[in-house]
Amino acid sequence: MPVPVVGLIGCGHIGRFHSRNLRGAIRSGVVEARYVAVCDRDRARAEAFAGIVGAELVTDNAPELLDYPGLTAVYICTETAEHPALVAEAARRGLDVFCEKPLARTLPEVEAMVEAVEGAGVVNQVGLVLRYSPVLTVLADLMRDPGLGPFLTAHLRDDQFFPVRGHYNSSWRGSFDRAGGGTLIEHSIHDVDVFRWLFGEISAVRCHTREVTPGHPGVEDVALVTFQHAGGHQTTLTSVWHGLDDRPSTRFLEVFFEGGYFATEHDFVGPIRVQGRSGPVRELSADEVFERYVALAGLNEAEAPLARAGMMEDVAFLQCAAARRPAFPDFRTALAAHRVVDACYRSAREGREVRLDSPGR
């Protein structure tokens, strides 16, 4: 089995997250890979990064990294506007690609990126990390209980401080030209993907957006969305960027069935509150949630600690790159979420419900 040889472009907040995961996965022995090169437009930041990583190549020139001898895979962790060109160049060189979300600012750009990686036949994965969330994986399993009766509705409130400061410190997220929008595309594309996963394909949307923070035209602070699902039910999303710097990024999800109720205020480890047709609310603790997740995901003793630390999306990418099998969530999965986000923005601009022609295409 070939050993992936990996480089990383973009040494900011999300680049540090994936760099930690790469190093941890390799040190654990769960995957065999070499992490050899880093790149950032800020040369000093790249050099500091390389000192931690022990990289063979440190550069502020992305083509130099992509052309590094022996490289087989690349992480693209730059600002959104730079993703399409970097993905195209990586695919042209036959490199496997992990690209952070959102894939691009516009739907046509995302469609071109899907064509590039699929045309090149490279392993591709997008950073929709909630697909590896223990709490959401367990929730999806709990929702399969036929005794719950018909699904009624769900609501998710997703709030985060405007990520142009603090530990994100990403001024580019305040620029429409560089980010493509605000809280809906930059943060809640995760939520759109989760809604498709948990509640089924989305056939129509009704969206309202509002800009509050001055100096960031086109970057919405609030998005309120009603999703019409192909199964005939509706769900709702409230996505907020606020100025509460000491409030962590928080997701509160409530799910109602005719005979059951679930709620969680944590998007990764739990707990989950559960109520049936009779009796009080009971709680699955974070530890119980994680134990169920390990069983559902079929993780072994070596993989479980990596999952608890949030490293499994990177472990999965390296495993798929080594085995030459498709990764998940792939670019086409992200494309489906981008189609929904694009429909939401059209709905907000035009003040009407927008139907998706081919949900999940």
Side-chain angles (χ1 to χ4, degrees), residues 184 205 207 225 227 339-349:
L184 183 59
V205 301
C207 179
V225 189
F227 299 111
R339 285 196 170 111
V340 175
V341 169
D342 180 73
C344 288
Y345 281 134
R346 283 190 285 131
S347 172
R349 287 195 305 269

Side-chain angles (χ1 to χ4, degrees), residues 36-89:
V36 300
V38 297
C39 173
D40 193 273
R41 67 162 64 90
D42 182 336
R43 178 80 186 201
R45 184 161 72 171
E47 289 174 348
F49 216 76
I52 297 170
V53 172
E56 300 168 6
L57 172 70
V58 54
T59 180
D60 55 9
N61 181 272
E64 182 181 4
L65 181 142
L66 295 173
D67 288 329
Y68 189 66
L71 197 75
T72 66
V74 63
Y75 272 73
I76 296 173
C77 303
T78 63
E79 62 187 62
T80 303
E82 297 174 350
H83 291 176
L86 289 171
V87 166
E89 287 302 309

Side-chain angles (χ1 to χ4, degrees), residues 58 131 242 255 262:
V58 54
R131 291 286 185 153
H242 50 69
V255 182
F262 304 98

Side-chain angles (χ1 to χ4, degrees), residues 10-278:
C11 300
H13 171 74
I14 200 64
R16 291 194 299 273
F17 172 76
H18 287 295
S19 182
R20 180 208 70 153
N21 292 356
L22 285 167
R23 299 195 316 274
I26 294 168
R27 284 198 305 266
S28 74
V30 168
V31 294
E32 187 177 1
R34 294 174 56 219
Y35 178 19
V36 300
V38 297
C39 173
D40 193 273
R41 67 162 64 90
D42 182 336
R43 178 80 186 201
R45 184 161 72 171
E47 289 174 348
F49 216 76
I52 297 170
V53 172
E56 300 168 6
L57 172 70
V58 54
T59 180
D60 55 9
N61 181 272
E64 182 181 4
L65 181 142
L66 295 173
D67 288 329
Y68 189 66
L71 197 75
T72 66
V74 63
Y75 272 73
I76 296 173
C77 303
T78 63
E79 62 187 62
T80 303
E82 297 174 350
H83 291 176
L86 289 171
V87 166
E89 287 302 309
R92 186 173 65 82
R93 291 165 169 82
L95 300 177
D96 298 327
V97 181
F98 185 108
C99 184
E100 255 306 321
K101 60 79 208 164
L103 281 181
R105 299 166 299 175
T106 68
L107 183 57
E109 287 177 316
V110 175
E111 291 172 335
M113 293 165 77
V114 173
E115 290 179 5
V117 294
E118 292 185 349
V122 297
V123 175
N124 58 93
Q125 188 172 324
V126 65
L128 292 171
V129 65
L130 294 185
R131 291 286 185 153
Y132 291 87
S133 158
V135 70
L136 295 178
T137 301
V138 170
L139 178 59
D141 185 62
L142 293 171
M143 287 169 51
R144 296 187 182 99
D145 181 356
L148 295 170
F151 174 78
L152 299 179
T153 192
H155 175 69
L156 174 63
R157 184 210 68 226
D158 183 348
D159 70 276
Q160 180 187 51
F161 70 79
F162 194 4
V164 295
R165 57 188 179 274
H167 61 275
Y168 297 102
N169 193 27
S170 54
S171 61
W172 64 267
R173 285 185 170 94
S175 165
F176 176 82
D177 290 339
R178 298 165 75 182
T183 187
L184 183 59
I185 188 170
E186 168 54 34
H187 192 56
S188 279
I189 195 160
H190 283 302
D191 306 323
V192 170
D193 181 58
V194 166
F195 272 62
R196 291 186 58 249
W197 168 26
L198 296 183
F199 311 123
E201 292 294 356
I202 295 169
S203 57
V205 301
R206 184 68 171 89
C207 179
H208 300 271
T209 61
R210 188 155 62 101
E211 297 171 24
V212 177
T213 306
H216 304 283
V219 177
E220 77 282 353
D221 303 90
V222 180
L224 307 176
V225 189
T226 299
F227 299 111
Q228 176 71 45
H229 293 264
H233 49 270
Q234 298 82 33
T235 59
T236 55
L237 166 68
T238 298
S239 183
V240 180
W241 273 352
H242 50 69
L244 308 175
D245 290 351
D246 292 326
R247 179 178 172 84
S249 179
T250 305
R251 286 182 170 93
F252 175 56
L253 174 63
E254 290 187 295
V255 182
F256 287 89
F257 287 79
E258 184 269 333
Y261 168 80
F262 304 98
T264 181
E265 295 184 59
H266 200 296
D267 60 18
F268 189 71
V269 296
I272 301 174
R273 296 194 296 278
V274 181
Q275 189 167 23
R277 293 179 183 275
S278 61

Side-chain angles (χ1 to χ4, degrees), residues 134-135 137-139 141-143 262 272 274 282 284-299:
V135 70
T137 301
V138 170
L139 178 59
D141 185 62
L142 293 171
M143 287 169 51
F262 304 98
I272 301 174
V274 181
R282 60 188 176 89
L284 293 177
S285 70
D287 286 341
E288 289 175 299
V289 167
F290 187 73
E291 288 173 8
R292 287 187 179 219
Y293 173 73
V294 168
L296 288 168
L299 303 183

